[in-house]
Amino acid sequence: HLDEIGSGFMITLATWTSGVVLGIALGMLIAIAQLFGNNLVRAPLRVFIELIRSTPFLVQLFLVYYAGPAFGLSLEPIPAGILSLGVYGSVYFAEIFRTGFESVARGQLEAADCLGITRWQCIMRIQVPQMLVIILPALVNLVTILCKETAVLSIITIPELTMVLTGIGSETFAFVETLLVLCIGYLLLVEACSRLGMFLERRVG
């Protein structure tokens, strides 16, 4: 079953990385809108953040995949899984980015304003480089959490590692062996992410 396991591993890796990229992009937009938008922008975003944070990922996945067609959103399992993972992670990324932006000294922003630097230049050249150093450990922690959340995607028939190995276990009755391989697979992914995080921390430090 090595070919099946390898295929499931690659699908897990692909859905995880795609969901993380989508979550980071949405999270950055939400954080910027929260910090620099008016009350008409901030209030709905606050409701959205609390709604996503207050409901389980499994429920959100069901809503996107099974209830989505009722709202005109009909997706195949893998795109639905990536979208759900990205939206779920985006609110947590947004809170991390927001605290990172707020950690930059106010005096630097006032000095940039006096020099005629635009708000967008201030964000990209002053705030983002400094905040990334501060929030990197939190980002790595959230990325590893999203890695483990990919196991839930098997519920909507995505043939990722969990679904493949549980299927092999049901077929061969080798439940201990398949679950052990499943643990090893996620351990490799999380360990690789942690090592990359430590490398980046040393580099930016």
Side-chain angles (χ1 to χ4, degrees), residues 13-36:
L13 182 61
T15 53
W16 172 40
T17 52
S18 301
V20 166
V21 170
L22 178 61
I24 288 175
L26 291 176
M28 180 63 77
L29 291 176
I30 293 171
I32 292 173
Q34 275 193 295
L35 289 170
F36 302 106

Side-chain angles (χ1 to χ4, degrees), residues 136-170:
L136 187 56
L139 286 179
V140 173
N141 184 57
L142 180 53
V143 169
T144 58
I145 290 173
L146 293 179
C147 173
K148 292 180 284 187
E149 291 289 355
T150 59
V152 180
L153 301 180
S154 61
I155 299 294
I156 59 169
T157 70
I158 294 179
E160 45 76 59
L161 194 60
T162 303
M163 183 176 180
V164 168
L165 284 168
T166 52
I168 294 172
S170 300

Side-chain angles (χ1 to χ4, degrees), residues 16-94:
W16 172 40
T17 52
S18 301
V20 166
V21 170
L22 178 61
I24 288 175
L26 291 176
M28 180 63 77
L29 291 176
I30 293 171
I32 292 173
Q34 275 193 295
L35 289 170
F36 302 106
N38 54 33
N39 288 331
L40 292 177
V41 174
R42 286 198 295 263
L45 286 177
R46 198 69 244 170
V47 172
F48 172 74
I49 289 172
E50 293 304 322
L51 181 64
I52 297 298
R53 289 171 60 180
S54 303
T55 54
F57 174 59
L58 180 60
V59 174
Q60 297 170 26
L61 184 62
F62 282 160
L63 285 173
V64 171
Y65 185 63
Y66 293 113
F71 301 96
L73 183 66
S74 182
L75 297 173
E76 293 297 316
I78 291 179
I82 292 172
L83 177 62
S84 300
L85 197 66
V87 172
Y88 176 74
S90 67
V91 298
Y92 296 98
F93 281 121

Side-chain angles (χ1 to χ4, degrees), residues 58-127:
L58 180 60
V59 174
Q60 297 170 26
L61 184 62
F62 282 160
L63 285 173
V64 171
Y65 185 63
Y66 293 113
F71 301 96
L73 183 66
S74 182
L75 297 173
E76 293 297 316
I78 291 179
I82 292 172
L83 177 62
S84 300
L85 197 66
V87 172
Y88 176 74
S90 67
V91 298
Y92 296 98
F93 281 121
E95 290 299 284
I96 292 172
F97 289 141
R98 183 180 61 81
T99 56
F101 278 125
E102 291 175 345
S103 67
V104 178
R106 185 70 186 172
Q108 295 186 34
L109 308 182
E110 293 171 353
D113 188 53
C114 291
L115 292 171
I117 297 175
T118 65
R119 178 169 291 178
W120 182 250
Q121 289 176 323
C122 182
I123 292 171
M124 298 307 297
R125 296 186 180 184
I126 298 174
Q127 291 181 283

